[in-house]
Amino acid sequence: MASCPPFQDYQVGQVLTLSVIPKHGKNCAASTIRARIRKLQYPRTLSRCMIVDLLGEDYPDHPVFLKLYDSRFSEQLRSDNGIDPWTRDAEKEYIDAVETGAARQFIHNLRTIPDFEEGIETWDDGQLETYLTNEVHKLFDAETTAYDALRDIQGKLVPRLIARVHLALSLPNVVCMSRTDAAELLHIKGILLQYVDGFPLSEVQDHAPQSEWQGIVDQAVAIVQAVGDHGILNTDVRPDSFMVQRDRSGCYRVFMIDFGMTRLRGWNESDRDWGKAKLYRDEEGAVGFVMKKRLAREGFELRYEYVDRYREWASDDEE
């Protein structure tokens, strides 16, 4: 199977042919990676996640994690924006919009016209699908940008980014598109990551002895701090943003995942503005305080005190 059929979900055993997206500024020869789906990850929210085996002698024989930013199955984005679940008819309207150039113009309007999204209730299915495609492409850009900034802690505190990829929709009735920007709108972008075989931090009480809970949560809080030290603001930190893995020696290692809702500190962003943004999001508390309350229900008193690492940067009148 060379690509992804437009009108079906992914299936265990399915082989996907992924095209590698070169890093910015690098002139790499085009290459592909064939991946067989081993297991689908649920729930489906902003992206479609799965565990895959890479086929070929050049790749390791252990599984890797594939995250596809496929707007068809981005249930959370659809729910948040009041958009109906994907249908064949909506997909056909979207493909028509791409073929005629209307989708590219619509994205241009999204990015340049103030308050353009306020008219979402009047959009047709083709426009809604174009909007969702643009949104998931932004998630891809944010996540890959974050992984680039976190290069020195990949494989240690966050998973290792193996490759940026895209998956082309198989569209036999669509004319060949010579315009790269148009063809790109029919590509499902994704990332191949180191697979962390473990459990989410939110389920620590079900998978690890109570004697390990404090150290595991401490690791998660320390990772939040390390990510912040790389100039990253994450607006979606929660216990499910961490995977806990028990290594061969019996020690528990924590990895932070999910960087689609992040941004880098602006090159001209003042210490005060950056400090205010970090204080407002309280990324540490989203882990430490939340886990403290959750484990208290198990009769465990987690030791956690918030460190005001950005307080001095914010204005004195900030509460």
Side-chain angles (χ1 to χ4, degrees):
M1 184 176 295
S3 55
C4 179
F7 302 136
Q8 73 176 51
D9 201 348
Y10 304 95
Q11 306 292 327
V12 172
Q14 182 181 3
V15 175
L16 305 175
T17 299
L18 308 167
S19 298
V20 176
I21 301 174
K23 292 184 179 179
H24 295 301
K26 300 222 173 174
N27 296 320
C28 301
S31 61
T32 58
I33 298 175
R34 297 177 71 242
R36 179 184 291 117
I37 299 175
R38 175 187 290 204
K39 182 180 180 181
L40 300 171
Q41 295 287 89
Y42 293 92
R44 299 178 290 185
T45 53
L46 294 172
S47 55
R48 197 69 173 93
C49 299
M50 58 198 77
I51 302 167
V52 301
D53 295 299
L54 302 185
L55 306 180
E57 297 180 355
D58 296 335
Y59 301 108
D61 58 2
H62 52 75
V64 299
F65 192 78
L66 173 61
K67 188 172 187 178
L68 291 173
Y69 302 83
D70 190 337
S71 61
R72 297 174 301 167
F73 309 112
S74 184
E75 295 174 350
Q76 183 177 328
L77 270 178
R78 290 179 180 275
S79 175
D80 290 347
N81 292 280
I83 299 175
D84 291 337
W86 167 86
T87 65
R88 293 171 182 259
D89 289 340
E91 182 82 351
K92 290 174 182 177
E93 286 197 35
Y94 172 65
I95 293 171
D96 288 342
V98 173
E99 285 189 283
T100 62
R104 179 58 59 185
Q105 180 60 49
F106 186 81
I107 290 176
H108 176 76
N109 293 343
L110 277 172
R111 297 175 179 177
T112 58
I113 299 177
D115 304 321
F116 186 74
E117 294 181 23
E118 292 184 0
I120 191 170
E121 293 183 357
T122 66
W123 297 346
D124 59 34
D125 285 344
Q127 292 169 325
L128 290 172
E129 295 301 318
T130 301
Y131 169 75
L132 290 169
T133 298
N134 185 60
E135 289 299 298
V136 295
H137 282 186
K138 289 194 295 186
L139 293 173
F140 168 84
D141 291 340
E143 186 136 27
T144 53
T145 298
Y147 272 107
D148 283 343
L150 298 170
R151 190 176 296 108
D152 62 313
I153 60 172
Q154 287 186 26
K156 302 171 185 176
L157 305 181
V158 303
R160 180 170 60 88
L161 175 63
I162 298 170
R164 299 166 171 81
V165 296
H166 75 245
L167 177 66
L169 289 173
S170 178
L171 304 168
N173 296 323
V174 175
V175 297
C176 179
M177 295 187 182
S178 59
R179 289 172 47 208
T180 302
D181 60 345
E184 183 184 13
L185 293 177
L186 297 178
H187 290 166
I188 301 164
K189 294 187 177 184
I191 52 177
L192 283 169
L193 295 167
Q194 168 191 356
Y195 172 50
V196 179
D197 187 8
F199 56 87
L201 179 62
S202 58
E203 299 177 7
V204 66
Q205 67 276 10
D206 299 325
H207 298 278
Q210 191 176 102
S211 59
E212 300 288 344
W213 294 357
Q214 183 70 53
I216 290 172
V217 176
D218 287 346
Q219 284 189 63
V221 172
I223 294 173
V224 171
Q225 295 172 347
V227 169
D229 290 341
H230 284 73
I232 292 175
L233 175 68
N234 192 333
T235 64
D236 191 33
V237 177
R238 47 198 165 84
D240 283 340
S241 302
F242 300 85
M243 292 297 293
V244 185
Q245 184 179 61
R246 191 172 186 265
D247 63 24
R248 294 179 180 178
S249 67
C251 296
Y252 290 89
R253 296 183 59 195
V254 181
F255 293 82
M256 189 173 185
I257 60 174
D258 289 341
F259 296 98
M261 304 294 287
T262 61
R263 71 169 179 86
L264 299 184
R265 180 177 176 177
W267 66 270
N268 62 344
E269 192 169 2
S270 69
D271 286 351
R272 178 178 178 273
D273 288 343
W274 180 245
K276 286 173 64 178
K278 295 291 281 186
L279 282 169
Y280 176 74
R281 286 299 172 185
D282 189 14
E283 295 151 282
E284 288 183 36
V287 182
F289 279 132
V290 171
M291 289 306 298
K292 184 180 179 73
K293 291 178 63 177
R294 181 167 297 185
L295 295 180
R297 296 196 292 266
E298 305 293 328
F300 181 77
E301 185 176 351
L302 182 75
R303 298 184 303 277
Y304 172 72
E305 292 185 9
Y306 177 71
V307 179
D308 292 336
R309 305 178 80 229
Y310 301 95
R311 176 68 62 185
E312 61 180 300
W313 288 6
S315 61
D316 294 335
D317 61 352
E318 288 295 321
E319 293 294 332

